[in-house]
Amino acid sequence: MKQRIVILLLHLAAGGIQRLAVDDANELARRGHEVWIVTLQSEPTGVSLAPQLRLPTDRLKRLSYPRMRDIRAFFALVRFLRTTQPDILITHQWFANTVGRLAALAARIPTVLSFELSTDEGRKPYRQIVIDRI
């Protein structure tokens, strides 16, 4: 069954989670799913994996979400999710996991899959640990 899937992460600068997201997006699209990649921040200097995406150009959405408490950015993400109406939202790493799960609730996305590379919570600030638990 064809699914509408949004993959949410910070940026597409070369890195492990970015490689995973690009490979997943390409494979899901190859299997006939409608896939979007949404980035929340511009890439830091370095190599971008965006050219390796085999998605239509309108399926890469770049939002400006510079900090957690940016209400405009939050509502822009919610509007995007309501417009695309994905069946599944996949989020990667702490920031995208947090804002993605909240936006998915507001947009009524039925399924959210959140991935974090490191579960070493000893390195996280206390507020991040509390938000994870909520």
Side-chain angles (χ1 to χ4, degrees):
M1 176 164 70
K2 183 175 170 178
Q3 300 282 318
R4 296 171 64 91
I5 301 166
V6 171
I7 299 172
L8 182 69
L9 66 162
L10 278 182
H11 54 73
L12 286 175
I17 201 65
Q18 294 79 9
R19 168 86 276 141
L20 176 68
V22 167
D23 290 348
D24 284 351
N26 289 338
E27 180 61 20
L28 289 165
R30 187 190 70 75
R31 292 179 182 211
H33 301 290
E34 292 181 54
V35 181
W36 289 261
I37 285 197
V38 178
T39 60
L40 299 174
Q41 297 175 357
S42 55
E43 279 106 19
T45 56
V47 177
S48 174
L49 297 180
Q52 296 179 22
L53 281 170
R54 293 187 297 268
L55 301 175
T57 55
D58 65 336
R59 297 291 176 87
L60 174 58
K61 175 80 171 166
R62 297 176 191 271
L63 295 176
S64 176
Y65 209 131
R67 63 191 174 285
M68 183 65 65
R69 295 182 183 140
D70 191 324
I71 289 296
R72 279 193 192 137
F74 176 76
F75 284 113
L77 177 57
V78 171
R79 273 192 305 278
F80 174 79
L81 293 173
R82 285 182 177 165
T83 300
T84 56
Q85 297 180 326
D87 302 297
I88 301 168
L89 174 64
I90 300 171
T91 64
H92 290 283
Q93 297 182 305
W94 185 83
F95 187 84
N97 288 348
T98 303
V99 298
R101 287 182 287 210
L102 294 172
L105 280 172
R108 295 189 172 105
I109 307 304
T111 304
V112 179
L113 304 172
S114 296
F115 298 95
E116 191 164 340
L117 285 176
S118 174
T119 58
D120 182 9
E121 294 184 351
R123 294 185 177 166
K124 286 183 181 180
Y126 180 73
R127 71 179 174 88
Q128 288 180 341
I129 294 169
V130 170
I131 291 171
D132 282 349
R133 295 299 176 246
I134 293 171

